[in-house]
Amino acid sequence: MRIGIIGAGNIGGNLTRAFTRAGHEVRVANSRGPETLADLAAETGATAVVAAEAAPGADLVVVTVPQRSVPGLAGVLDAAADGTVVVDTGNYYPRERDGRIDAIEDGTPETVWVAQHLDPAGRLRWVKAFNGIQAEHLLSAGRPSGDPQRRGLPVAADDTSAKAVVIGLLDAIGFDGVDAGALADSWRQQPGTPVYGAELDADGITRALEAAPRERPEGFRG
């Protein structure tokens, strides 16, 4: 696959490593310019680009930036083809990092809010994934299919084929993707829920999703 990654922090950097190891073609961008990604590009064979060049021609785009940075990326996906799969890995941390975002506080799931800002016309197929795993585990915790210690990770999306694409990517890097429902249900995997950060197999992830309380935990309110 041709994958664009917007954001090269801990998650973005390790997804670049994981996807290139799995044989995918990756273009990666950050907010500081391609020259700052020279080491990552040399290590992985990925191509460092400016953010506007990550989405054109990509089969899948990963947006992995702080919530507070999302409005500043308006237009970055405009050149993506209609129907491109876009994975949001982000989390809302109002106290530690992002400040209060009223729409999320009022119940809009985080990825729905991101999509509203970056895809206002609704042309793209959005997926919530990779948001509740430690970055280093993307490289160290993968296991072969059938391994009893293989971990599950939740995947939420409205489009079932987009969900299947991401579940396939997870399988390739050593994880079982677990259907977490529609984007409207993706609050079940946000910070402070039972599944967030959980190191469980697929059945355990399913149970953790079912146990999520609808109210945002106090520690994750602005």
Side-chain angles (χ1 to χ4, degrees), residues 32-126:
R32 295 178 295 135
E35 65 280 0
T36 66
L37 296 172
D39 288 347
L40 180 63
E43 173 192 345
T44 63
T47 301
V49 297
V50 297
E53 295 175 351
D59 302 304
L60 177 143
V61 180
V62 178
V63 177
T64 178
V65 300
Q67 301 292 94
R68 66 183 182 191
S69 300
V70 167
L73 289 175
V76 76
L77 299 177
D78 287 357
D82 289 356
T84 299
V85 177
V86 181
V87 179
D88 169 45
T89 78
N91 295 303
Y92 171 54
Y93 299 118
R95 299 183 182 182
E96 296 89 349
R97 185 188 65 193
D98 298 314
R100 180 182 174 89
I101 298 174
D102 288 340
I104 296 177
E105 295 283 348
D106 291 341
T108 301
E110 294 162 7
T111 295
V112 173
W113 181 85
V114 173
Q116 289 170 348
H117 280 77
L118 301 186
D119 180 28
R123 298 186 305 109
L124 310 175
R125 297 183 291 163
W126 286 82

Side-chain angles (χ1 to χ4, degrees), residues 54 127 130 155:
V127 181
F130 300 108
V155 181

Side-chain angles (χ1 to χ4, degrees), residues 88-207:
D88 169 45
T89 78
N91 295 303
Y92 171 54
Y93 299 118
R95 299 183 182 182
E96 296 89 349
R97 185 188 65 193
D98 298 314
R100 180 182 174 89
I101 298 174
D102 288 340
I104 296 177
E105 295 283 348
D106 291 341
T108 301
E110 294 162 7
T111 295
V112 173
W113 181 85
V114 173
Q116 289 170 348
H117 280 77
L118 301 186
D119 180 28
R123 298 186 305 109
L124 310 175
R125 297 183 291 163
W126 286 82
V127 181
K128 178 78 165 187
F130 300 108
N131 72 296
I133 182 172
Q134 294 183 41
E136 59 268 28
H137 289 176
L138 289 168
L139 302 179
S140 66
R143 297 288 185 274
S145 180
D147 189 309
Q149 295 186 333
R150 199 181 213 215
R151 286 171 55 177
L153 293 177
V155 181
D158 295 337
D159 187 283
T160 55
S161 60
K163 195 180 297 183
V165 168
V166 176
I167 289 173
L169 279 176
L170 281 166
D171 180 59
I173 64 173
F175 300 92
D176 287 329
V178 177
D179 190 332
L183 285 183
D185 301 318
S186 60
W187 55 268
R188 294 181 179 275
Q189 65 193 78
Q190 293 177 170
T193 60
V195 80
Y196 182 76
E199 299 179 19
L200 302 169
D201 64 10
D203 289 340
I205 292 295
T206 298
R207 291 192 295 271

